[in-house]
């Protein structure tokens, strides 16, 4: 894991603070009270949460680090690189001392991680806060490990010995096995087999009853059928409503046409035909040419007969001629008078026909066009009447269909009610069956436990013995590894003055010298500090891996070093520590030593 960026909204004296460490060695330079230790503590609080523990009457980290300026801005974030990916680790301490949110930065866009604690634990190599403080994080008091690190390392080694997983506690596992063995012994039920057999018998009877045809679940079938019939009935109702609306519409149009029903249409058509027939008869009489021709002929004959009678008055036929003339004239006049009367009757009938059809068509005459319009009006009215009759016939048919559907739906609803009652009984049986199956499962487990108790007990005892042997073996291996790594580092740090050390699991450290084994407590402060630094680095490699995956943080850790020791230490770190190194200092010695040795570093001002 590498720290790429640090941003502090508010933490102690630091406010709206940004800094970007680089690869390799980073020198954070700042005079006393510049905030170096605050930044160091911020990194730890982001990784593990702000500690709420109080020691020796002092306020906790969480209390002390609330921002001096704008206390509500008690938060910050660091951007880290882990497994070739970028993540943004954020904590808002105002929400909770251990508040944690992590985003994965994909193409510059943050994607929130569902399990931030698990990811951060992997990034930290599984180090607890205690292990972190005693390995890669060194405070101002130097690089000496703290007393509780010994217990932490013992637990760590013990867990690895059993599971190859430092998170699993071997003692807790053993205690769990012992407790489970006691539970098994106390949980034996002598009546379990007998009860188990009875329960299985009752389960079989219920299952056989549930397989009977009358218990088939047809609730959904009848429910869907009733719903389908209801939908069809609703559709029929809508059709009846639509047909009635069509009747109302057609009736309105028929009324507007001047008729109430088809009988009115027949009567109107008959009446119009009667007047029209009389009109046609009157037209033939009034405009026939026979009477007019006869009248003209008689009028012509009458003067001729008169002239003949006057000229031949002495003749015997003169009187007859005169009589014929008078009769012809009279007949002609009578013919003309009847002809005039017929024409008057024709005009009267024409007026009567015009008035009759005007009631329906707004006609002003009764010529052929108006009569044709009247006939079309009658035809349209008959269509309306026929449409009304069709709709009424359709409604009658739909009424019958709706009655059938209602009857059918009633049958389905009755069947549905019967089915629901059946399902209630079935559900009661199912509930009982579930209870019996749960009981059978519990009894099955009990029987199995009873049968395998002796075997499990023997397995637990064998596991306890194996765990104890492996734990002791790996504890010895842990000490051997740390001693070997630390010895190599001490040799490099001291210029081969001391080539090996012996560090017990309680961190009782001794150095091998020409005069024999010397306790580190008898060494100078500078030498002791070098030894503790070596033990820290060896321990972190044992616990977190030999790739040095975590940033090494040294906060004024070289105050007790003379210039030679400082140069040796920095050269050693540059050559041997594979991870990122963050050095906090209030002096220029570190930068001067690195520059003199030609070692690359990044200088960051606080």
């Amino acid at each position: 894991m590498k720290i790429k960026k640090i941003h502090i909204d508010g933490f102690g004296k630091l406010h709206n603070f940004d800094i970007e460490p680089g690869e390799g060695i980073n020198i954070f330079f700042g005079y006393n009270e510049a905030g170096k230790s605050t930044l160091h503590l911020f990194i730890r609080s982001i990784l593990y949460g702000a500690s709420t523990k109080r020691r020796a009457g002092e306020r906790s980290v969480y209390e002390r680090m609330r921002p001096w300026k704008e206390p509500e801005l008690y938060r910050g974030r660091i951007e880290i690189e882990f497994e070739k990916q970028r993540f943004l680790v954020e904590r808002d301490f105002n929400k909770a001392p251990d508040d944690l949110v992590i985003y994965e930065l994909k193409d510059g866009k943050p994607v929130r991680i569902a399990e931030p604690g698990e990811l951060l634990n992997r990034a930290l190599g599984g180090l607890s806060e205690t292990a972190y403080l005693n390995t890669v994080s060194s405070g101002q008091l130097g690089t000496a490990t703290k007393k509780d690190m010994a217990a932490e390392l013992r637990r760590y080694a013990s867990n690895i010995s059993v599971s190859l997983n430092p998170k699993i506690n071997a003692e807790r596992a053993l205690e769990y096995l012992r407790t489970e063995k006691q539970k098994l012994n106390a949980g034996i039920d002598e009546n379990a087999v007998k009860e188990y057999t009875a329960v299985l018998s009752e389960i079989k009877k219920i299952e056989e009853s549930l397989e009977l045809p009358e218990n088939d679940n047809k609730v959904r079938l009848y429910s869907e059928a009733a719903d389908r019939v209801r939908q069809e009935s609703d559709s029929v109702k809508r059709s009846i409503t639509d047909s009635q609306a069509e009747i109302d519409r057609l009736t309105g149009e028929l009324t507007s046409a001047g008729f109430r029903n088809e009988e009115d249409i027949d009567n109107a058509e008959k009446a119009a035909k009667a007047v029209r027939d009389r009109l046609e008869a009157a037209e033939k009489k009034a405009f026939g040419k026979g009477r007019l021709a006869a009248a003209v002929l008689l009028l012509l004959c009458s003067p001729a007969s008169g002239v003949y009678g006057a000229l031949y008055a002495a003749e015997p036929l003169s009187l007859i001629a005169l009589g014929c003339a008078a009769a012809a004239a009279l007949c002609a006049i009578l013919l003309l008078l009847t002809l005039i009367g017929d024409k008057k009757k024709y005009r009267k009938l024409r007026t009567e026909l015009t008035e009759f059809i005007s009631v329906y068509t707004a006609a002003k005459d009764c010529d052929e066009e108006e009569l044709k319009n009247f006939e079309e009006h009658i035809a349209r009215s008959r269509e309306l009447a026929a449409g009304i009759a069709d709709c009424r016939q359709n409604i009658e048919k739909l009424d019958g269909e709706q009655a059938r559907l209602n009857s059918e739906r009633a049958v389905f609803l009755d069947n549905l009610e019967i089915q629901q009652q059946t399902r209630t009984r079935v559900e009661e049986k199912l509930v009982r069956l579930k209870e019996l199956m749960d009981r059978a499962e519990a009894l099955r487990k009990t029987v199995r436990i009873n049968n395998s108790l002796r075997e499990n007990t023997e397995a637990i005892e064998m596991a306890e013995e194996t765990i104890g042997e492996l734990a002791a073996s790996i504890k010895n291996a842990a000490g051997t590894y740390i001693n070997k790594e630390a010895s190599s580092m001490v040799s490099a740090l001291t210029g081969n003055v001391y080539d090996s050390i012996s560090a017990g699991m309680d961190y009782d450290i001794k150095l091998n010298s020409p005069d024999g084994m010397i306790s580190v407590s008898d060494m100078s402060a500078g030498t002791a500090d070098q030894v503790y630094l070596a033990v820290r680095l060896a321990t972190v490699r044992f616990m977190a891996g030999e790739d040095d995956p975590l940033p090494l943080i040294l906060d004024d850790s070289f105050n007790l070093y003379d210039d030679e020791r400082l140069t040796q230490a920095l050269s050693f770190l540059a050559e041997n520590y594979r991870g990122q190194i963050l050095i906090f200092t209030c002096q220029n010695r570190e930068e001067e030593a690195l520059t003199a040795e030609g070692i690359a570093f990044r200088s960051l001002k606080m």
Side-chain angles (χ1 to χ4, degrees):
M1 182 186 81
K2 295 183 179 64
I3 297 175
K4 309 301 290 186
K5 295 180 181 179
I6 301 174
H7 173 78
I8 301 176
D9 290 307
F11 192 87
K13 68 187 299 180
L14 297 178
H15 174 74
N16 196 23
F17 176 85
D18 289 279
I19 201 162
E20 296 186 18
E23 303 281 342
I25 299 176
N26 294 265
I27 303 296
F28 291 77
F29 175 82
Y31 295 109
N32 291 333
E33 303 301 325
K36 301 186 300 301
S37 296
T38 300
L39 178 57
H40 184 184
L41 190 53
F42 171 78
I43 295 173
R44 168 186 158 192
S45 298
I46 282 288
L47 297 178
Y48 291 97
S51 175
T52 57
K53 294 181 180 179
R54 295 185 178 184
R55 296 182 179 179
E58 294 183 356
R59 292 188 300 161
S60 67
V61 171
Y62 179 69
E63 294 170 327
R64 287 188 290 112
M65 290 299 106
R66 181 168 291 279
W68 303 353
K69 181 181 180 181
E70 299 185 75
E72 69 279 2
L73 296 180
Y74 195 9
R75 58 177 180 257
R77 59 182 179 269
I78 63 173
E79 183 179 325
I80 64 171
E81 184 178 271
F82 171 60
E83 294 179 347
K84 297 181 180 181
Q85 293 175 287
R86 290 288 185 97
F87 299 92
L88 197 61
V89 183
E90 295 185 350
R91 289 191 191 265
D92 188 339
F93 301 109
N94 265 321
K95 293 182 178 178
D98 58 352
D99 174 75
L100 174 64
V101 178
I102 298 180
Y103 298 92
E104 181 181 357
L105 301 178
K106 291 185 175 180
D107 300 324
K109 296 180 180 179
V111 178
R112 187 162 180 167
I113 299 298
E115 298 292 339
E118 190 276 334
L119 175 69
L120 187 56
N121 187 60
R122 284 196 296 115
L124 291 169
L127 288 187
S128 67
E129 188 171 6
T130 297
Y132 173 82
L133 290 172
N134 286 277
T135 53
V136 295
S137 176
S138 173
Q140 288 181 327
L141 296 179
T143 55
T145 54
K146 297 183 180 180
K147 61 181 180 180
D148 52 354
M149 184 56 191
E152 180 80 8
L153 184 60
R154 283 196 297 272
R155 286 194 297 271
Y156 194 94
S158 177
N159 295 338
I160 291 179
S161 71
V162 178
S163 64
L164 299 181
N165 185 341
K167 296 181 182 178
I168 298 175
N169 190 295
E171 287 299 325
R172 290 182 182 177
L174 289 172
E175 181 62 29
Y176 172 78
L177 292 175
R178 288 191 290 268
T179 301
E180 286 300 305
K181 182 170 65 176
Q182 292 174 356
K183 289 180 180 178
L184 291 174
N185 288 328
I188 296 176
D189 186 353
E190 298 296 342
N191 296 321
V193 174
K194 182 178 179 180
E195 184 181 356
Y196 181 57
T197 302
V199 168
L200 290 180
S201 176
E202 187 174 355
I203 287 174
K204 183 178 180 182
K205 290 180 180 179
I206 293 177
E207 289 177 339
E208 289 175 349
S209 70
L210 290 175
E211 292 176 356
L212 296 175
E214 59 266 24
N215 288 326
D216 288 346
N217 188 357
K218 297 180 181 178
V219 171
R220 181 175 179 182
L221 175 65
Y222 288 130
S223 178
E224 290 178 349
D227 188 58
R228 173 182 56 77
V229 171
R230 180 189 58 77
Q231 292 176 2
E232 291 180 7
S233 178
D234 290 343
S235 177
V236 169
K237 286 181 181 179
R238 289 193 295 272
S239 297
I240 291 174
T241 301
D242 293 343
S243 295
Q244 187 58 54
E246 182 66 8
I247 288 174
D248 293 342
R249 184 185 70 80
L250 295 174
T251 300
E253 291 186 14
L254 188 62
T255 300
S256 298
F259 305 107
R260 293 172 300 174
N261 48 44
E262 193 165 3
E263 184 180 356
D264 286 353
I265 298 172
D266 290 340
N267 291 337
E269 188 176 30
K270 289 177 181 179
K273 186 176 183 304
V275 175
R276 188 172 181 181
D277 289 344
R278 285 164 34 215
L279 178 62
E280 289 177 353
E283 183 180 15
K284 289 180 180 179
K285 288 178 68 177
F287 297 98
K289 297 181 179 180
R291 285 188 297 172
L292 180 59
V296 172
L297 181 60
L298 288 173
L299 287 175
L300 292 175
C301 289
S302 179
S305 296
V307 171
Y308 177 82
L311 291 176
Y312 300 100
E315 296 288 333
L317 295 175
S318 61
L319 291 176
I320 295 173
L322 290 173
C324 289
L330 180 60
C331 287
I333 291 170
L334 290 174
L335 286 173
L336 291 173
L337 289 175
T338 58
L339 184 61
I340 292 170
D342 288 339
K343 286 187 176 182
K344 286 182 179 181
K345 184 178 179 181
Y346 167 76
R347 286 193 294 271
K348 182 179 179 182
L349 288 172
R350 189 177 183 90
T351 300
E352 181 181 349
L353 182 58
T354 300
E355 290 175 352
F356 183 82
I357 65 176
S358 66
V359 173
Y360 303 101
T361 64
K364 296 182 180 180
D365 198 354
C366 60
D367 55 17
E368 290 299 324
E369 183 178 355
E370 294 294 351
L371 290 174
K372 182 178 179 181
N373 291 338
F374 176 74
E375 290 172 355
E376 291 176 351
H377 181 76
I378 292 295
R380 286 196 301 272
S381 298
R382 285 193 184 281
E383 290 176 358
L384 293 174
I388 293 171
D390 290 343
C391 287
R392 286 176 178 163
Q393 185 178 3
N394 187 47
I395 287 176
E396 184 177 352
K397 179 181 177 182
L398 291 172
D399 285 338
E401 178 67 11
Q402 189 172 43
R404 183 189 67 78
L405 290 172
N406 289 339
S407 176
E408 185 177 348
R409 184 167 184 263
V411 172
F412 285 136
L413 290 176
D414 290 341
N415 290 334
L416 179 60
E417 184 177 358
I418 294 172
Q419 272 292 301
Q420 288 173 336
Q421 294 172 356
T422 302
R423 292 317 299 168
T424 299
R425 293 193 297 271
V426 169
E427 287 171 0
E428 291 173 354
K429 290 183 179 181
L430 289 173
V431 170
R432 176 58 180 164
L433 183 61
K434 177 65 168 57
E435 293 173 352
L436 291 171
M437 294 183 74
D438 290 343
R439 180 58 182 159
E441 180 62 24
L443 290 170
R444 186 182 299 113
K445 291 180 180 178
T446 302
V447 171
R448 187 168 58 249
I449 290 171
N450 290 342
N451 293 335
S452 62
L453 179 60
R454 186 183 297 271
E455 181 180 349
N456 290 343
T457 301
E458 292 176 355
I460 289 173
E461 291 172 351
M462 184 179 296
E464 289 174 337
E465 181 179 354
T466 302
I467 288 173
E469 293 175 354
L470 287 175
S473 175
I474 298 300
K475 285 179 182 178
N476 292 333
T480 301
Y481 177 90
I482 292 174
N483 283 331
K484 180 181 178 182
E485 284 290 312
S487 295
S488 175
M489 295 179 188
V490 166
S491 177
L493 284 168
T494 62
N496 297 319
V497 174
Y498 302 100
D499 58 3
S500 66
I501 69 168
S502 174
M505 291 299 290
D506 291 321
Y507 280 90
D508 47 343
I509 302 172
K510 295 181 181 180
L511 280 77
N512 188 9
S513 72
D515 298 325
M517 301 299 290
I518 303 174
S519 174
V520 70
S521 60
D522 295 330
M523 296 290 172
S524 66
T527 300
D529 219 32
Q530 287 178 316
V531 172
Y532 282 122
L533 176 59
V535 172
R536 277 178 176 270
L537 297 182
T539 303
V540 74
R541 285 188 177 177
F542 173 73
M543 299 178 76
E546 296 188 357
D547 290 334
D548 299 329
L550 300 176
L552 178 63
I553 304 176
L554 302 172
D555 187 357
D556 281 333
S557 297
F558 303 118
N559 289 345
L560 301 177
Y561 286 32
D562 56 31
D563 291 342
E564 183 178 355
R565 282 197 178 97
L566 175 62
T567 300
Q568 289 174 341
L570 293 174
S571 297
F572 169 79
L573 290 175
E575 292 176 6
N576 292 276
Y577 197 77
R578 303 174 183 89
Q580 190 180 36
I581 301 175
L582 310 180
I583 299 175
F584 295 84
T585 181
C586 60
Q587 304 179 38
N588 293 318
R589 297 171 63 222
E590 287 84 356
E591 291 191 12
E592 292 172 354
L594 290 170
T595 302
E597 292 297 313
I599 299 172
F601 67 94
R602 184 170 186 177
S603 179
L604 301 160
K605 305 300 180 183
M606 294 289 296

